[in-house]
Each structure stands twice: as structure tokens, then as C-alpha cells.
Amino acid sequence: MKYITDLLNEVNSINVISENYYFVGQMTVSETDCIDYEIDKDSLKEFKSKMFLTLNKSNEADLKRLYNSAKTELISLSKDQLINTRKILLSYNYKYIFKKIGEFFVKVYEGKQHPADETYFRLFLNSNFICNIPENGAFSNYFLTNLIDEYSNKRGFISLLIDDINNLLNDAEPAPQSVDIQRKYKVDYSLFKLIYNYCQGKKPVFNIDEIDFFDRVARADFSGNITTKSNKGKIRTLIHSLVTNGIVNENWYSDSVDSINIVKGDCSGYKHNIDFLGDLNEVIKAYKNKKIDFEKIDLFLKNDIEKKLKQFNPN
């Protein structure tokens, strides 16, 4: 099962390097940027700099080639081999990995990470991924957002391969479910951190924590008792705001309304939370205006930007 093993190794691998970033006003310029934009590094030496960890994302075409090779290899396997392969693919505890990354992401975003947290997270990455984490380099929310997106994307190819095995087996009984809750959509975690904090103001909307909220958004699943009793209708308003502001696509919209057993018109026609909708729209608008800053932000600059958004972030 060479090609299946190759795909698994790639899914569980990350490529991390450290780069020096120069801080020029409200923007940052990396060593790579200097080359791309033909900027002379010596001209930036008067500005302060800091070493950051950077994630080199995998090429999508390479991932698809690995997946196609693994899918072709399935045809040569016996039924027992297919069943055993499916057990292996289902055994990876992806939910645990996403949870640990998400917990550390929140600490970094809030500037509350302790050196011990960073040491533990480096050990976590080295224990759960095929990687080599450079000793020099700080974690940033930008790096962690890319890490979650990269791993979510790679994890999707394992889900596809499990579906392919199920189709080949054509089991009479439903296929066993993975212990992981599959993620289908990419999430801008910085934005949804702001949205969650706004929703959890003086009268909290949700009775789930941030990590569960991120997971729900990524899966477009708002089913179950996830809001406080008086705020159930605000799920519709949240969905409507995300759609009208272009944050999510039509597939996410369809899956979200299906998860709470309504149709799209029930969101657009829901008029009971006008103030809540207006404030959500302002949160998203403010974030969009500052998105470039958030994507290249350093902890030295984070407090300044957070002050500008404080009115939308009660906690």
C-alpha cells in the first residue's frame, strides 16, 4: 500500500521554516517579500525586526496526484485489505489535533501565551506531525491560521479516500463513522474569534466554547442545543449576516440551513434581531477594513489594532 502510505505521510507532514520580518509602520515585510518585490534588505536595517515561524503550504496539484495514486491502488486490494485500510484511516484522532491547535491559537490571538505554552506546542507539533520546527522563531495567529487551513485541506483527501473505500466495499450496512468530525469549509479564524466574542457579550448567545464554535462553522452545522434559551433565533441572523457579507459560499449556506431544518428564505426573512444583525454587520465591516493588518500582524502591533476594534469585542 505504498501510495496510500505516501498520502498519509503527506497529510501528517508540515513544512515549517523561520523568516526574519521587518516592521515598517503598520506593515511587515519578510525576507521572501524583499526578493519578490526587489526590496533591498539593507535599506530596512534601521527598522526593528523579529524572527517568525512560517508555514510552507503544500502544492494542491501535488496533493491531488498523491490522492489519485492512492485511489487507484485501492482497486488492487482485497475486501479484507480494504476493510483494514479503512480502519487505519479512521483511527487518526484528527479532532484532538484540531482542538490543541485551536486552543493555542486563542492564546496567541489574545497575547496570553506563556513561554511554557510555546514549548509545549512545539513538542505537540513534533509529536503529531512529520516536521522539524526551527528553534528560532515566534508563533503568530497568521501562522496558526495557515496551519489549520493546511491541515483541514489535507484531511479532506483522507475523507475522500474513505468514501472511495466505502463505494468499493458497497457494504450492506452503513460504514463505521470516524471519531473525527469532518471539516468541509475553510474558516477565517481571526474573524470568527471577533464574532464569537461579540456574541458572548453581556448576554451570551452560545453555550459552547470557542473551539466548538470554530468547529461548527467549519462544518456548517448548527444543530442541537448550542445557544442559550432566548437566543435560538440568532443562529438564523448569524447565517444571514455571513451570507450577505460574502464571508461564506452557497454550499455553506445550504448546509447550515439544512442543519437546523429550515430553508434559506427563513434566514433572509427573519426580522426579530435587527439590532443584532446590524452590529454583526459592523463587526464584519470593521474586520474587512483591517484584514491585511491582521494577516501580517505582530504581537507588538496587536494591541493597537485591538483597541480600534474594542467596541465590537466586549470581552
Side-chain angles (χ1 to χ4, degrees), residues 50-153:
K50 185 175 181 180
M51 195 69 73
F52 276 106
L53 293 176
T54 300
L55 182 71
N56 287 334
K57 288 192 174 183
S58 300
N59 185 286
E60 189 75 13
D62 291 339
L63 290 173
K64 288 180 180 178
R65 276 192 286 269
L66 285 170
Y67 162 69
N68 287 332
S69 296
K71 181 178 179 181
T72 302
E73 191 174 47
L74 294 176
I75 300 173
S76 64
L77 302 182
S78 67
K79 182 176 180 179
D80 286 343
Q81 287 176 320
L82 287 172
I83 292 173
N84 288 333
T85 300
R86 184 172 63 185
K87 287 180 180 178
I88 292 171
L89 296 176
L90 289 170
S91 68
Y92 286 87
N93 191 355
Y94 295 103
K95 187 175 181 181
Y96 165 78
I97 290 176
F98 281 123
K99 181 178 176 63
K100 289 298 181 183
I101 297 174
E103 288 173 347
F104 186 66
F105 169 86
V106 171
K107 289 184 178 180
V108 171
Y109 181 87
E110 294 178 343
K112 295 180 179 178
Q113 81 275 22
H114 187 273
D117 296 322
E118 296 192 0
T119 300
Y120 173 79
F121 192 70
R122 285 175 184 271
L123 292 173
F124 164 79
L125 292 178
N126 284 320
S127 300
N128 290 277
F129 293 95
I130 303 170
C131 65
N132 181 28
I133 308 298
E135 293 183 5
N136 295 323
F139 291 106
S140 68
N141 62 349
Y142 183 51
F143 168 83
L144 294 168
T145 298
N146 283 336
L147 175 60
I148 295 173
D149 286 345
E150 167 84 341
Y151 195 54
S152 297
N153 184 41

Side-chain angles (χ1 to χ4, degrees), residues 13-279:
S13 300
I14 54 174
N15 182 16
V16 183
I17 63 172
S18 58
E19 268 196 300
N20 203 34
Y21 277 74
Y22 300 92
F23 302 101
V24 185
Q26 291 291 312
M27 302 299 293
T28 61
V29 181
S30 69
E31 299 276 12
T32 303
D33 292 330
C34 291
I35 298 172
D36 291 343
Y37 298 108
E38 299 182 353
I39 300 173
D40 181 7
K41 287 191 296 184
D42 290 335
S43 67
L44 296 174
K45 286 184 177 179
E46 62 185 276
F47 298 101
K48 63 181 180 180
S49 65
K50 185 175 181 180
M51 195 69 73
F52 276 106
L53 293 176
T54 300
L55 182 71
N56 287 334
K57 288 192 174 183
S58 300
N59 185 286
E60 189 75 13
D62 291 339
L63 290 173
K64 288 180 180 178
R65 276 192 286 269
L66 285 170
Y67 162 69
N68 287 332
S69 296
K71 181 178 179 181
T72 302
E73 191 174 47
L74 294 176
I75 300 173
S76 64
L77 302 182
S78 67
K79 182 176 180 179
D80 286 343
Q81 287 176 320
L82 287 172
I83 292 173
N84 288 333
T85 300
R86 184 172 63 185
K87 287 180 180 178
I88 292 171
L89 296 176
L90 289 170
S91 68
Y92 286 87
N93 191 355
Y94 295 103
K95 187 175 181 181
Y96 165 78
I97 290 176
F98 281 123
K99 181 178 176 63
K100 289 298 181 183
I101 297 174
E103 288 173 347
F104 186 66
F105 169 86
V106 171
K107 289 184 178 180
V108 171
Y109 181 87
E110 294 178 343
K112 295 180 179 178
Q113 81 275 22
H114 187 273
D117 296 322
E118 296 192 0
T119 300
Y120 173 79
F121 192 70
R122 285 175 184 271
L123 292 173
F124 164 79
L125 292 178
N126 284 320
S127 300
N128 290 277
F129 293 95
I130 303 170
C131 65
N132 181 28
I133 308 298
E135 293 183 5
N136 295 323
F139 291 106
S140 68
N141 62 349
Y142 183 51
F143 168 83
L144 294 168
T145 298
N146 283 336
L147 175 60
I148 295 173
D149 286 345
E150 167 84 341
Y151 195 54
S152 297
N153 184 41
K154 287 183 174 182
R155 175 66 181 92
F157 287 100
I158 296 300
S159 297
L160 289 175
L161 200 62
I162 292 171
D163 290 340
D164 294 330
I165 293 174
N166 292 338
N167 290 333
L168 286 171
L169 288 172
N170 194 24
D171 290 341
E173 297 180 359
Q177 296 297 309
S178 167
V179 295
D180 177 38
I181 300 175
Q182 296 178 10
R183 290 166 180 261
K184 295 177 60 178
Y185 300 98
K186 290 186 177 181
V187 174
D188 186 334
Y189 292 91
S190 295
L191 170 60
F192 282 98
K193 164 72 176 179
L194 289 176
I195 290 175
Y196 181 83
N197 280 352
Y198 164 68
C199 290
Q200 299 302 93
K202 295 180 179 179
K203 297 181 179 180
V205 172
F206 294 102
N207 57 21
I208 55 177
D209 63 19
E210 284 178 325
I211 306 304
D212 198 0
F213 177 70
F214 291 159
D215 185 73
R216 293 281 186 159
V217 173
R219 291 185 293 114
D221 179 9
F222 297 100
S223 60
N225 183 29
I226 65 172
T227 64
T228 54
K229 187 174 181 180
S230 61
N231 287 300
K232 293 185 182 297
K234 288 182 179 177
I235 289 291
R236 303 186 190 189
T237 307
L238 173 61
I239 294 172
H240 178 58
S241 178
L242 295 174
V243 172
T244 55
N245 283 288
I247 303 301
V248 295
N249 60 31
E250 283 297 317
N251 290 333
W252 187 94
Y253 190 12
S254 297
D255 287 346
S256 293
V257 297
D258 286 347
S259 74
I260 54 177
N261 298 315
I262 62 173
V263 297
K264 292 178 179 179
D266 292 335
C267 289
S268 59
Y270 206 68
K271 305 296 184 182
H272 301 300
N273 297 302
I274 298 300
D275 291 340
F276 180 70
L277 175 61
D279 289 343

